[in-house]
Amino acid sequence: GQNIDQPTEMTATEGAIVQINCTYQTSGFNGLFWYQQHAGEAPTFLSYNVLDGLEEKGRFSSFLSRSKGYSYLLLKELQMKDSASYLCAVRSYMNSGYSTLTFGKGTMLLVSP
Amino acid sequence: GAVVSQHPSRVICKSGTSVKIECRSLDFQATTMFWYRQFPKQSLMLMATSNEGSKATYEQGVEKDKFLINHASLTLSTLTVTSAHPEDSSFYICSARDRGANMYGYTFGSGTRLTVV
């Protein structure tokens, strides 16, 4: 089976930096995604890692270590609008030959003034 | 970029009735469609995976006779919640992959908030 763990909640202040961790256990690993989801809305894509290392994209960066089953999402220069749930999702190849995307429970980030 | 249109965005129905949710890929062909369900303050749980022209694959614990999925064309997939009950009230989201998908090829619909009264 698959297991994805991430903290339930985090708080930070405007302008700060926050790191959201994600650990996973899966077979047939084929990539890790980070999504942002505001309440009542669908997830929006933030980043994708399939090789080890850091991917930087503006204020957002994501890191992956496949050997450790570990990823983090780094948010810099936090803004109030960054208050949302951040979902770690792992893509895996299944025995059926198809791949599926499995989501963690999400980390609710609250940014305060 | 790729767009998935999901309708309705919000629906209230009476217990025992059926509700159909549609997801259309507007500018690409969706070979695979994923249907997720999300309860309040919980993450997205995959319900089923469907491929155009074949039967859907349901996740463990999801009743295939209750949640009917039809993926009859490369641009349309539907989820019908049959004989809905209050416990089926949830946020349903579809996600599609297009034929030419690269690793980033997951596009989500805007979601359907179902309330069964």
Side-chain angles (χ1 to χ4, degrees):
Chain A
Q2 300 179 26
N3 191 36
I4 302 173
D5 288 315
Q6 51 182 131
T8 305
E9 291 181 347
M10 297 184 72
T11 58
T13 54
E14 202 172 8
I17 299 173
V18 70
Q19 177 174 313
I20 303 174
N21 296 324
C22 172
T23 58
Y24 65 88
Q25 295 170 326
T26 187
S27 56
F29 176 83
N30 192 34
L32 188 143
F33 295 76
W34 283 96
Y35 285 87
Q36 180 191 63
Q37 185 180 27
H38 287 98
E41 298 181 10
T44 55
F45 171 80
L46 289 179
S47 69
Y48 170 76
N49 296 70
V50 67
L51 300 176
D52 292 349
L54 187 69
E55 293 283 341
E56 297 186 80
K57 195 176 179 182
R59 294 191 300 115
F60 298 88
S61 302
S62 58
F63 172 83
L64 175 67
S65 169
R66 289 171 295 172
S67 61
K68 295 181 180 178
Y70 168 70
S71 173
Y72 68 71
L73 178 69
L74 193 71
L75 294 80
K76 304 176 185 176
E77 302 170 15
L78 281 173
Q79 303 174 8
M80 298 295 289
K81 66 178 182 179
D82 296 329
S83 293
S85 182
Y86 291 85
L87 308 175
C88 173
V90 173
R91 172 174 157 155
S92 304
Y93 281 119
M94 311 303 287
N95 291 334
S96 60
Y98 300 112
S99 61
T100 61
L101 198 61
T102 303
F103 286 84
K105 293 185 177 180
T107 298
M108 181 62 66
L109 174 65
L110 177 62
V111 180
S112 57
Chain B
V3 176
V4 172
S5 176
Q6 182 172 347
H7 293 283
S9 58
R10 196 176 290 269
V11 59
I12 301 173
C13 71
K14 290 185 177 180
S15 187
T17 61
S18 296
V19 173
K20 179 184 282 189
I21 302 169
E22 288 189 354
C23 275
R24 293 180 183 273
S25 55
L26 297 186
D27 49 6
F28 68 99
Q29 293 180 320
T31 53
T32 304
M33 188 76 78
F34 303 93
W35 287 94
Y36 292 88
R37 179 169 53 183
Q38 186 176 35
F39 292 106
K41 298 188 178 181
Q42 308 240 336
S43 190
L44 283 76
M45 298 298 294
L46 181 65
M47 298 175 67
T49 303
S50 70
N51 291 280
E52 183 264 337
S54 63
K55 290 183 179 180
T57 302
Y58 289 81
E59 295 300 301
Q60 193 172 7
V62 178
E63 300 174 59
K64 62 181 181 181
D65 294 331
K66 180 173 182 62
F67 298 98
L68 302 179
I69 291 173
N70 187 293
H71 194 163
S73 75
L74 285 169
T75 59
L76 175 64
S77 178
T78 61
L79 167 68
T80 301
V81 183
T82 62
S83 187
H85 290 286
E87 58 265 30
D88 298 323
S89 298
S90 187
F91 191 51
Y92 292 85
I93 308 177
C94 63
S95 176
R97 295 197 64 203
D98 63 38
R99 275 185 179 276
N102 56 26
M103 290 295 186
Y104 300 80
Y106 293 97
T107 303
F108 285 86
S110 54
T112 297
R113 173 76 58 193
L114 170 64
T115 303
V116 184
V117 298

